[in-house]
Amino acid sequence: MVRMTLSELDNGLTDEELSALEAAEARPPVEDEDSPEMMFEQLMQFKRVNRENRTKPTISLRISPATLKKAKQYGKGYTGLLSRLLDAAIDDEELVRRCI
């Protein structure tokens, strides 16, 4: 899925096309039998693609056994999950201050 704002689209759109896109953007998503809401287990099967930085340095990090056990419950790819959690946490200045 690619998300774009209307200003990022090609200027070759007609007024009718722009109006249709604006109307579609304002509508909430609707689940039906052809496209039901996905369950958590289904969402976990997706892989995140990071096209900007495909190589990450490998480091050793000590974590508690309880944290490792919880992470492993998410199955294959739990190290990537931990990496994304750390990325999100390090950007939260308040959280960083509480952990120092």
Side-chain angles (χ1 to χ4, degrees):
M1 180 198 297
V2 176
R3 294 186 73 111
M4 298 178 76
T5 63
L6 289 176
S7 61
E8 294 173 319
L9 290 174
D10 183 22
N11 290 336
L13 297 175
T14 67
D15 289 340
E16 184 179 324
E17 291 169 328
L18 285 172
S19 296
L21 287 172
E22 289 170 348
E25 183 180 33
R27 286 192 305 252
V30 177
E31 289 87 18
D32 59 21
E33 61 186 51
D34 290 330
S35 61
E37 183 174 2
M38 297 187 83
M39 305 302 291
F40 179 77
E41 293 79 17
Q42 293 171 309
L43 292 171
M44 292 303 298
Q45 293 175 5
F46 283 93
K47 288 189 175 186
R48 183 177 296 261
V49 176
N50 184 353
R51 294 174 193 261
E52 295 172 10
N53 184 11
R54 289 184 181 247
T55 59
K56 296 179 182 178
T58 301
I59 64 164
S60 295
L61 180 68
R62 296 181 186 270
I63 61 174
S64 71
T67 299
L68 181 59
K69 182 178 178 181
K70 287 177 189 176
K72 284 185 174 183
Q73 289 176 347
Y74 288 99
K76 185 178 177 183
Y78 71 92
T79 57
L81 169 66
L82 290 172
S83 175
R84 290 187 297 279
L85 284 170
L86 185 56
D87 288 344
I90 202 74
D91 290 334
D92 185 336
E93 191 173 328
E94 182 182 328
L95 179 60
V96 171
R97 285 187 179 151
R98 284 194 329 231
C99 294
I100 293 178

